[in-house]
Amino acid sequence: MEDAAMIPKLLYDWLAGNDLKFKPLFEYYFPRLKRYTMSFTDDPAISEELAMNVMLKVWQQKSRIATLNDFDSYLFTMMRHETVSMLRRKKTMMTLSSREEEAQATENTTEVVSYRELLTRYRACLDKLPPRRREAFILNRERGMSYAEIAGLLNVSIFTVQNHIAASLKFIRRELHDYADFLMLAAVIFVPMLTEY
């Protein structure tokens, strides 16, 4: 669906309650958002995930979008914010990773025990998730599969995968609230590293 002239009508129909009109909107905007963010990330998988996040937010913020005058401008502003946020997180993770490498030389037994305890609690959280949700989360966060790849493997929609992962993250954050300072770090750095022990 490439006819830009149809977009205002599709958007109007979707906002008026016809959810079937979201699919052609998605098919029109998703590749454009992905191309837009590629110029910042230079990584197709990350660009795809960021574009998927924005389209999910569009779906979730339907009532807010109904009040907009310029949907295109809003959409690409959302995409820019999502990309900048990801780049900031990536920079933070690189800094934390660098600090972890420096700290490894002086790492003491207490830190190792804390990391192992965190891993044990993380694994316990995963065991509490419903099987499908746990599977989608592990495939994405530990095996690095994209939402589209997971959707194909599990034979579900990409939005279902997105919802599984979002719900899993919310649950894990709540369960590990006493590790809040280390949670993001653990999910990205320590968990893959510690699973090798």
Side-chain angles (χ1 to χ4, degrees):
M1 206 289 296
E2 291 292 328
D3 188 3
M6 293 296 297
I7 295 302
K9 172 75 171 122
L10 289 168
L11 184 61
Y12 176 82
D13 290 347
W14 174 61
L15 293 172
N18 186 348
D19 287 343
L20 295 177
K21 298 299 181 180
F22 188 76
K23 183 179 179 186
L25 284 170
F26 178 92
E27 290 170 351
Y28 179 80
Y29 282 110
F30 181 76
R32 286 163 175 77
L33 292 172
K34 188 175 169 184
R35 277 193 303 272
Y36 174 76
T37 196
M38 268 291 290
S39 64
F40 300 103
T41 67
D42 204 30
D43 184 324
I46 290 174
S47 297
E48 180 177 311
E49 186 165 346
L50 292 173
M52 186 62 65
N53 288 347
V54 167
M55 291 307 295
L56 178 65
K57 286 178 182 177
V58 167
W59 176 263
Q60 293 170 335
Q61 297 176 8
K62 187 176 185 178
S63 58
R64 181 176 181 186
I65 289 167
T67 65
L68 298 175
N69 292 325
D70 187 350
F71 178 70
D72 277 28
S73 176
Y74 179 77
L75 188 64
F76 282 91
T77 299
M78 275 179 69
M79 188 74 252
R80 187 171 58 253
H81 288 217
E82 191 79 14
T83 304
V84 167
S85 178
M86 182 279 304
L87 291 172
R88 282 184 184 145
R89 285 193 307 269
K90 190 174 179 181
K91 183 178 178 185
T92 301
M93 293 313 301
M94 288 173 65
T95 301
L96 291 171
S97 179
S98 174
R99 288 179 185 165
E100 171 59 20
E101 288 171 11
E102 293 169 10
Q104 280 180 348
T106 58
E107 188 176 61
N108 61 37
T109 306
T110 305
E111 289 171 328
V112 172
V113 170
S114 295
Y115 298 152
R116 289 179 189 268
E117 180 186 339
L118 176 57
L119 177 62
T120 301
R121 291 196 51 197
Y122 168 76
R123 287 290 174 207
C125 286
L126 289 182
D127 290 342
K128 292 179 185 177
L129 292 172
R132 257 337 221 197
R133 188 172 289 172
R134 179 176 57 244
E135 186 176 8
F137 183 81
I138 290 171
L139 289 172
N140 178 253
R141 297 300 164 138
E142 293 186 19
R143 300 208 182 133
M145 292 177 66
S146 71
Y147 292 167
E149 290 170 329
I150 297 168
L153 182 68
L154 300 182
N155 197 24
V156 296
S157 75
I158 291 174
F159 292 110
T160 299
V161 173
Q162 178 84 27
N163 287 333
H164 279 327
I165 291 172
S168 298
L169 286 170
K170 184 176 180 182
F171 174 77
I172 291 169
R173 282 189 195 107
R174 189 173 61 242
E175 288 288 305
L176 299 179
H177 68 277
D178 50 336
Y179 283 94
D181 292 341
F182 298 105
L183 193 54
M184 187 169 70
L185 186 64
V188 178
I189 296 172
F190 297 132
V191 170
M193 185 175 70
L194 288 173
T195 53
E196 295 170 3
Y197 283 97

